[in-house]
Amino acid sequence: MTQRQFDYADEHLIRTASKQWHEIDQSDYWHYLMDLSYVELQQDLFDYLFPAFLIRWWEGQLSRYGGPESESNIYRA
């Protein structure tokens, strides 16, 4: 993996990258959205993770949870 986590806590990114899409949870979502905003992305990692994040975002919209709040939101990313 060549991408660095936005806060240099790479162990979280490594853990997220090793999960299946349906295992990605809210804390993974927060960290990766920060990466989308602040670091250069690794293309194959983005290709793997981004669809799962779109699903989590969509689920949040359906439940009216996960709207733009703080710096970690999909609209900023």
Side-chain angles (χ1 to χ4, degrees):
M1 184 165 14
T2 58
Q3 183 175 319
R4 301 299 308 250
Q5 185 81 42
F6 79 98
D7 60 0
Y8 303 104
D10 294 332
E11 65 278 355
H12 194 90
L13 183 60
I14 291 167
R15 190 170 46 249
T16 301
S18 68
K19 292 181 177 183
Q20 297 293 317
W21 71 267
H22 61 277
E23 297 172 328
I24 291 175
D25 62 26
Q26 196 64 25
S27 68
D28 300 317
Y29 186 79
W30 184 87
H31 278 88
Y32 197 67
L33 284 179
M34 297 297 280
D35 285 356
L36 291 176
S37 297
Y38 298 115
V39 301
E40 183 143 345
L41 302 175
Q42 180 180 336
Q43 186 64 51
D44 58 344
L45 184 59
F46 174 82
D47 293 347
Y48 177 71
L49 292 176
F50 193 66
F53 284 86
L54 286 178
I55 290 167
R56 293 291 170 250
W57 170 81
W58 179 68
E59 289 171 345
Q61 296 302 300
L62 291 176
S63 67
R64 301 202 183 267
Y65 177 76
E69 57 188 52
S70 79
E71 75 277 15
S72 177
N73 72 69
I74 201 164
Y75 304 106
R76 174 168 170 51

